Amino acid sequence: MQLHMQLRLPRDARYVAVMRRVAGSLLAEVNAPQDAVDDLQVAITEACGNVVRHASGVDDYSVHLAVDADGCEVEVVDLGPGFVVAGSEVHDDEEAGRGLSLIGALVDDLEFVREDAAMRVRLVKRWRELALDEEAALEPRT
């Protein structure tokens, strides 16, 4: 089974919570592990919140979720100017960048891709690998 969902959302803080609930519902329906659902909901909230706060010159953005038996891939895409990811100050405010660190801690892969006029943030959370690792840990050693 593989599910794909894409939403185009207004750049309005009210819709960040909507996206969080939609993602949580979809992941629960496909029986994703609850800890993965929780991690992804927070990571998606942070990624969408960054677009709402920092994108400029755009009225909306899109979120694409792809879910299968192994995990979930999320892409948050806006047409704003983007930002510098590593080794550079995004803002003078000491809180800046903490959301990106949080996202990185909650997902297995985090990637920032600048394509033409779009900034794409890609998050991957795997649970199949985790389940296989847990099964192997429970097997008796000989």
Side-chain angles (χ1 to χ4, degrees):
M1 169 206 48
Q2 192 171 37
L3 296 173
H4 291 270
M5 178 185 72
Q6 183 159 344
L7 295 174
R8 188 167 204 100
L9 301 164
R11 215 182 104 223
D12 181 322
R14 293 177 297 179
Y15 293 96
V16 173
V18 170
M19 187 62 231
R20 178 187 179 106
R21 287 190 301 273
V22 167
S25 294
L26 176 68
L27 292 165
E29 284 298 317
V30 298
N31 295 317
Q34 188 59 50
D35 59 336
V37 173
D38 295 342
D39 289 351
L40 281 164
Q41 283 185 295
V42 173
I44 290 168
T45 298
E46 286 293 325
C48 292
N50 282 340
V51 171
V52 169
R53 281 188 302 275
H54 303 300
S56 61
V58 295
D59 294 329
D60 57 8
Y61 64 102
S62 66
V63 180
H64 177 255
L65 281 87
V67 183
D68 63 22
D70 297 328
C72 179
E73 180 177 314
V74 180
E75 288 189 347
V76 179
V77 182
D78 74 81
L79 299 175
F83 55 91
V84 177
V85 177
S88 185
E89 290 297 317
V90 179
H91 297 282
D92 293 332
D93 158 1
E94 69 181 50
E95 297 289 318
R98 289 190 183 169
L100 299 179
S101 296
L102 177 61
I103 293 170
L106 293 171
V107 299
D108 297 306
D109 295 320
L110 173 60
E111 180 180 21
F112 302 92
V113 178
R114 186 80 176 142
E115 294 176 340
D116 299 321
M119 181 62 164
R120 181 178 309 274
V121 178
R122 184 176 160 270
L123 322 170
V124 176
K125 182 75 172 180
R126 294 181 200 88
W127 47 79
R128 177 72 170 209
E129 257 178 33
L130 179 62
L132 295 175
D133 289 345
E134 287 174 0
E135 287 175 21
L138 295 175
E139 291 178 8
R141 296 181 186 222
T142 56

